[in-house]
Amino acid sequence: MAEHEHVRVAVIGSGFGGLGAAVRLRREGITDFVVLERAGSVGGTWRDNSYPGCACDVPSHLYSFSFAPNPDWPRTFSGQPHIRAYLENVADTFGLRPHIRLDHEVRKMRWDSGELRWEIETAQGTLTADVVVSATGPLSDPKLPDVPGLDSFEGKVFHSAQWDHGYDLRGKRVAMIGTGASAIQIVPAIQPEAGRLTLFQRTPPWVMPRMDRAISGAERWLHGKVPFTAAARRRLLWSIRELQVSAFTKRPNELGLIESIGRANIGRSIKDPALRAKLTPSYRIGCKRILLSSSYYPALAQPNVDVVASGLQEIRGNTLVASDGTETEADVIIFGTGFHVTDMPIADRVVGADGATLAESWKDGMQSLRGATASGFPNWMTIIGPNTGLGNSSMILMIESQLSYLADYMRQLNVLGGRVALDPRPAAVDAWNVRVQERMKRTVWNTGGCTSWYLDANGRNTTIWPGTTAEFRKATRGVDLGEYAVVRAGADRPLVRQRTGDHDRVTEHGRGTADEQGRAAGQGRTGDQGRAADRESV
Ligand code: NAP
């Protein structure tokens, strides 16, 4: 291989996950790292999603890093421009800019078993890294449905995450496809200017009122002067959501009361019984993501809006044909059809120790150890990996737990010393996933009578964490070396594992199990060093 740059850690992506990883690495005293970003600026999904009405449905004081509180959030639920600005500010405040490589899309990353490092091909050349932190996020690659005839459409077409701000919707016949979290924000924002707006609704969502308000100057002043008040506010928001979890995970029947609030929200704005019936979900609330809006139903009641309660099935010229046969003429199609979540394209670009891609390894469904590492992909870690999503709280809490795990992972590598890699043992990965899937059985996501992007092609829920954020924090506080095989430099053959009972054992090149190596290194099963640093507040 030609001469190239080598770094200790390559972080991929500069959204909340990637920037958070960069801050955490610096706090661990690691400065030999780069953040590879495919776009021309930081911000991830909060950079890409700039559609009209884009905002977060988790309160800002909870949807932000605990280590970077912002006393100046202008509203209880911030809009996309403020969240994007917050992330730019994090990049500046924590001195991340020198690490960030913009326009560096990662095309391939290959584990080099001989050198024990990742070889990373980017749009701007190749580099190597001891450790890869893949923070590309589940909401980064837009998904378009495979609708026959789309090529024949002569009008404008775009996805919610790739909004064409140069296109004027005024007076146009707009077809909005989908009724997810993005679409329900877009509809009220564009309805006043659209000539005619037709919403293609395959499944009605549960939409609850959104209690959004401006945060007063007095509150902001107080949060700035007495930071404890902002922390207390965050803790309250967090606690409320933690208390809701058991209804989602263990007692979905308790959610009936919430459904009545959702039905009242429809009834308040929709007086036409036929439209009300179309908009009323027939599955348990929470099975799909619960959406928040106080303007969605009022927009649907406007005379320039039609709801086609059926999916888009085919396009013939400028005519959109729904599954129920309804035909609609349109000038523009906006796809609010979500993202490749359980089939992330990045997985095709990761080639592990056996020469197989992560996508091949995950062909029967994504699975990882503690939402972070994947067997056969040594020293590769993902932020917001399998089963780390949330149905009702802030993803930033989960990201910060994963950052603690990353910090301990780096400490463990240092303690083991030399050229070394950790590869999760298949038995440990299996055990983790069996536990996760066992807990999943009673959850509303699996039993609520809907299909959603939480479930993969096999109907397995590989996206959501079936517990509280506190439980996940506990599970990721440190790396259990017993769950890993330690791979030492000098190995020139791919990993071969033997199953010995419920333990895997790496036999060649004098490599022992992680337990043995951890003991040899004078370590207990879990790294306790620096744990105090992991106990951030929520
Ligand atoms: P989504 O939740 O995956 O929704 C996609 C929508 O497209 C669904 O309503 C789906 O219908 C519909 N659809 C797919 N193919 C269709 C077809 N052929 N005809 C008609 N409808 C079709 O995508 P999203 O709304 O972009 O949201 C994705 C995620 O982004 C959210 O769940 C959330 O995590 C995040 N997000 C968050 C916020 C926030 O406020 N924090 C805002 C926006 C997005 P079915 O329901 O029948 O599948």
Side-chain angles (χ1 to χ4, degrees):
M1 193 181 162
E3 211 170 286
H4 58 264
E5 183 183 16
H6 179 79
V7 291
R8 180 72 170 142
V9 185
V11 177
I12 304 170
S14 68
F16 266 101
L19 294 181
V23 172
R24 196 57 205 253
L25 288 171
R26 283 188 65 97
R27 288 193 160 186
E28 290 297 307
I30 298 166
T31 52
D32 181 17
F33 71 89
V34 290
V35 178
L36 304 171
E37 167 55 55
R38 72 177 168 190
S41 60
V42 303
T45 198
W46 292 105
R47 173 202 57 227
D48 294 346
N49 285 272
S50 62
Y51 57 76
C54 184
C56 187
D57 56 15
V58 178
S60 310
H61 279 274
L62 192 60
Y63 197 82
S64 43
F65 289 122
S66 65
F67 53 79
N70 174 17
D72 289 323
W73 286 118
R75 301 194 68 80
T76 49
F77 295 94
S78 289
Q80 175 265 347
H82 287 106
I83 301 171
R84 186 177 178 191
Y86 169 81
L87 287 171
E88 290 280 355
N89 198 31
V90 165
D92 289 328
T93 308
F94 292 88
L96 308 181
R97 299 279 179 201
H99 300 276
I100 298 170
R101 307 275 170 88
L102 301 174
D103 300 311
H104 274 63
E105 176 165 9
V106 170
R107 294 183 173 152
K108 210 70 166 183
M109 46 191 136
R110 277 187 207 86
W111 177 246
D112 180 336
S113 297
E115 297 291 331
L116 290 196
R117 63 189 186 188
W118 286 93
E119 192 184 300
I120 305 164
E121 261 174 61
T122 79
Q124 314 269 355
T126 301
L127 71 155
T128 54
D130 294 334
V131 176
V132 164
V133 178
S134 183
T136 53
L139 305 178
S140 50
D141 291 293
K143 186 155 108 184
L144 290 181
D146 196 9
V147 185
L150 182 55
D151 290 349
S152 69
F153 186 71
E154 286 159 6
K156 183 82 184 164
V157 177
F158 54 89
H159 187 275
S160 55
Q162 294 164 334
W163 198 269
D164 186 341
H165 291 277
Y167 186 79
D168 190 355
L169 290 173
R170 272 177 298 179
K172 299 282 179 5
R173 295 169 301 176
V174 182
M176 177 81 227
I177 316 300
T179 52
S182 303
I184 67 120
Q185 293 180 336
I186 293 169
V187 164
I190 65 170
Q191 172 272 320
E193 59 189 48
R196 180 119 228 115
L197 174 59
T198 306
L199 178 65
F200 285 77
Q201 170 197 271
R202 200 164 61 180
T203 316
W206 281 106
V207 185
M208 306 295 280
R210 180 182 170 98
M211 307 299 187
D212 187 21
R213 66 169 176 84
I215 297 180
S216 69
E219 285 171 277
R220 290 197 236 171
W221 178 86
L222 190 65
H223 292 332
K225 294 287 175 208
V226 191
F228 163 76
T229 58
R233 182 178 192 143
R234 181 181 174 94
R235 201 162 184 90
L236 179 67
L237 292 167
W238 169 75
S239 309
I240 294 167
R241 282 159 184 77
E242 290 290 269
L243 290 173
Q244 295 166 348
V245 170
S246 71
F248 290 100
T249 55
K250 295 179 188 147
R251 289 181 285 280
N253 286 341
E254 287 178 2
L255 294 164
L257 183 67
I258 316 290
E259 287 172 5
S260 54
I261 301 173
R263 273 191 289 270
N265 196 29
I266 302 173
R268 204 170 297 126
S269 310
I270 307 292
K271 301 303 170 197
D272 171 10
L275 181 56
R276 212 182 299 156
K278 276 187 197 176
L279 297 175
T280 304
S282 58
Y283 55 89
R284 184 104 280 179
I285 195 167
C287 182
K288 282 174 178 289
R289 188 182 164 95
I290 300 176
L291 309 181
L292 303 183
S293 176
S294 298
S295 52
Y296 176 62
Y297 293 129
L300 296 187
Q302 297 307 308
N304 67 335
V305 180
D306 293 311
V307 177
V308 174
S310 181
L312 173 62
Q313 195 180 40
E314 194 189 339
I315 297 171
R316 292 188 212 124
N318 280 3
T319 307
L320 278 63
V321 186
S323 307
D324 66 1
T326 311
E327 296 193 1
T328 304
E329 295 286 312
D331 302 310
V332 51
I333 305 174
I334 303 171
F335 284 103
T337 43
F339 299 86
H340 289 278
V341 177
T342 52
D343 55 345
M344 290 182 224
I346 190 77
D348 284 313
R349 302 181 182 197
V350 189
V351 183
D354 300 339
T357 64
L358 188 61
E360 285 162 346
S361 165
W362 282 352
K363 66 180 186 324
D364 297 325
M366 301 191 294
Q367 60 168 10
S368 68
L369 177 59
R370 298 180 191 270
T373 52
S375 194
F377 298 81
N379 280 1
W380 185 90
M381 182 177 295
T382 177
I383 307 290
I384 317 189
N387 292 110
T388 60
L390 293 177
N392 78 320
S393 190
S394 170
M395 277 311 295
I396 314 306
L397 299 163
M398 301 299 274
I399 288 173
E400 287 197 36
S401 293
Q402 298 210 276
L403 300 184
S404 294
Y405 195 74
L406 164 66
D408 199 48
Y409 192 101
M410 298 308 299
R411 282 181 219 129
Q412 297 296 336
L413 288 182
N414 278 346
V415 170
L416 288 165
R419 294 204 62 73
V420 66
L422 296 175
D423 187 15
R425 293 190 293 108
V429 178
D430 288 348
W432 172 258
N433 285 284
V434 164
R435 283 206 301 279
V436 166
Q437 292 304 325
E438 190 54 40
R439 290 185 65 168
M440 202 66 81
K441 285 182 183 159
R442 288 162 67 191
T443 67
V444 69
W445 309 299
N446 282 35
T447 64
C450 75
T451 56
S452 73
W453 61 259
Y454 297 158
L455 310 179
D456 68 14
N458 303 316
R460 203 159 141 262
N461 189 333
T462 55
T463 54
I464 295 287
W465 168 244
T468 62
T469 65
E471 285 173 291
F472 188 71
R473 175 143 301 196
K474 197 166 162 225
T476 51
R477 209 160 47 204
V479 168
D480 178 348
L481 272 186
E483 294 183 332
Y484 285 90
V486 175
V487 187
R488 285 280 175 196
D492 55 4
R493 280 183 275 153
L495 291 175
V496 176
R497 295 185 193 78
Q498 286 182 344
R499 292 219 167 202
T500 55
D502 60 348
H503 286 275
D504 285 344
R505 192 179 171 86
V506 180
T507 51
E508 74 277 54
H509 298 286
R511 292 180 238 159
T513 63
D515 269 345
E516 290 159 4
Q517 297 227 8
R519 278 194 292 274
Q523 290 299 295
R525 281 172 59 88
T526 57
D528 291 329
Q529 283 197 334
R531 280 294 149 63
D534 295 338
R535 295 200 188 99
E536 317 95 338
S537 57
V538 285

